[in-house]
Amino acid sequence: MATKGQVKPNTFLSPQYINGVYIPSGLLLVGCAIVKAEWLPYAVVLVVALGGWKIYSNQTKKVLNPNAFQEYELKEKTVLSHNVAIYRFNLPTSNSILGLPIGQHISVTAQCPKPDGTMADVTRSYTPISSDEDPGHFDLLIKSYPTGNISKHMAQMQVGQTLKVMGPKGAMVYTPNLVKRFGMIAGGTGITPMLQIIRAIIRGRPKNGGKDTTEVDLIFANVNQEDILLKEDLDALALEDKGFRVHYVLNNPPEKWDGGVGFVTEDMIKDKLPPPAKDMKLLICGPPPMVKAMQKAADSLGFEKPAKSYISALSDQVFCF
């Protein structure tokens, strides 16, 4: 399902414009000049009108509204396990993008049943695993929990139904070389904001025409091996890019497991992640108990305490999603 959409042209010398606008326009004008020169002014007007429309229609259009929920149709559902799936939602046009800055998330709301049987609006935050490099749709990786509200609602959604979405939200906005090194700790579906940033960093490498030289070390913790979400994607990225390293930790490892075992500890963090420094950040995302434990471990290891204990700021050395 992870098929990349065609990236829309971002310069007027893009092949899409050369092959789809300039060459056909030139041929039309030359042909008109040869066959009937007096029609040339009309051909020029036609070329300008159609060329302008073609260029305008190929521009990407941001659709997110930070102040209002909008509905998007479920196009496809790819089941990864008994309780995990990737949900692909259509955007209004093939050129539409969410317009979601790297590091930020969206809010999702739906009517969910309360214990007394009545319905109430419930809102949760999710980070798409797709990006604005994939116009026309966005993808959400969601794990359904027995006691979950939105996750259970998502698991019951059928193709063609709609989901209410609002954004962008969040304090993290990644820009190339924001820091020299990232240390990341993720648990379960907490991998999604990490993956978003990792992919952006690798897309921006000098070998890809960018200037991003950020180093990334990730500890990804799960209960069982089958719980490791998007492992193939992560392994492929680590193989592709020497500046990204991933270390897996399992509570219940299989035989011949060569990764970490048990809970993420201070020793694991010291061994696998960069030490506290002015030019690094430690990013954390996962279940609340894990986040709390990792914050405590970071404090013990000498990482700077955040300015506010209840919400992270971009300036914090330890940032919790």
Side-chain angles (χ1 to χ4, degrees):
M1 174 173 179
T3 303
K4 291 287 182 185
Q6 181 184 15
V7 178
K8 298 300 176 182
N10 52 18
T11 75
F12 291 115
L13 294 180
S14 298
Q16 290 95 327
Y17 290 143
I18 293 173
N19 298 323
V21 178
Y22 306 145
I23 292 177
S25 297
L27 293 174
L28 175 61
L29 293 176
V30 170
C32 187
I34 294 173
V35 175
K36 202 158 187 175
E38 58 266 32
W39 287 0
L40 195 57
Y42 301 104
V44 171
V45 173
L46 180 62
V47 163
V48 171
L50 293 179
W53 176 83
K54 180 75 173 179
I55 291 173
Y56 172 78
S57 64
N58 272 284
Q59 299 300 306
T60 54
K61 302 173 181 63
K62 298 179 181 180
V63 301
L64 277 178
N65 185 333
N67 301 310
F69 283 99
Q70 301 176 98
E71 295 190 8
Y72 300 101
E73 181 184 8
L74 179 62
K75 174 186 179 182
E76 188 179 344
K77 179 178 177 180
T78 301
V79 177
L80 302 183
S81 70
H82 71 284
N83 63 350
V84 179
I86 296 175
Y87 301 81
R88 173 163 291 183
F89 292 88
N90 276 330
L91 294 176
T93 71
S94 61
N95 297 334
S96 297
I97 59 174
L98 282 177
L100 186 69
I102 300 300
Q104 296 206 306
H105 57 265
I106 58 176
S107 293
V108 169
T109 192
Q111 283 261 308
C112 299
K114 295 168 64 177
D116 62 5
T118 60
M119 304 294 286
D121 287 329
V122 178
T123 302
R124 294 289 183 269
S125 297
Y126 292 101
T127 303
I129 59 171
S130 56
S131 74
D132 287 348
E133 299 294 312
D134 309 303
H137 68 268
F138 67 93
D139 296 338
L140 297 178
L141 173 70
I142 296 178
K143 183 173 184 177
S144 178
Y145 296 93
T147 57
N149 289 307
I150 293 294
S151 65
K152 189 184 297 183
H153 172 83
M154 295 286 291
Q156 296 170 349
M157 283 188 71
Q158 302 296 317
V159 171
Q161 293 182 320
T162 60
L163 183 71
K164 292 181 179 180
V165 173
M166 181 170 66
K169 302 288 184 180
M172 169 60 71
V173 178
Y174 179 74
T175 53
N177 298 309
L178 177 67
V179 290
K180 186 176 181 180
R181 297 186 68 181
F182 273 124
M184 298 180 174
I185 305 174
T189 54
I191 191 62
T192 55
M194 310 302 187
L195 183 61
Q196 185 193 58
I197 293 173
I198 292 164
R199 283 175 169 164
I201 289 171
I202 294 176
R203 279 198 306 270
R205 292 295 195 209
K207 65 180 181 181
N208 297 326
K211 297 181 180 180
D212 205 327
T213 58
T214 309
E215 296 277 319
V216 181
D217 294 279
L218 166 69
I219 293 177
F220 188 18
N222 289 276
V223 178
N224 303 304
Q225 188 171 19
E226 58 268 25
D227 296 325
I228 304 176
L229 303 172
L230 302 171
K231 187 176 187 298
E232 290 185 3
D233 298 65
L234 292 167
D235 290 343
L237 290 170
L239 186 64
E240 172 192 347
D241 192 276
K242 293 181 179 179
F244 167 56
R245 295 160 291 273
V246 56
H247 178 68
Y248 300 103
V249 178
L250 295 179
N251 284 7
N252 303 317
E255 292 184 12
K256 299 181 180 180
W257 172 253
D258 59 358
V261 177
F263 294 108
V264 178
T265 64
E266 292 181 19
D267 286 339
M268 286 183 191
I269 297 173
K270 287 172 63 176
D271 183 46
K272 300 298 181 181
L273 303 186
K278 293 295 183 182
D279 57 358
M280 70 81 63
K281 283 187 184 295
L282 178 63
L283 308 183
I284 303 172
C285 189
M290 176 187 177
V291 171
K292 187 174 181 180
M294 293 303 95
Q295 286 176 306
K296 185 177 179 180
D299 186 39
S300 298
L301 290 170
F303 286 88
E304 295 176 6
K305 290 185 177 181
K308 298 179 180 178
S309 59
Y310 56 90
I311 188 170
S312 292
L314 184 59
S315 58
D316 291 341
Q317 187 175 68
V318 178
F319 187 98
C320 299
F321 290 94

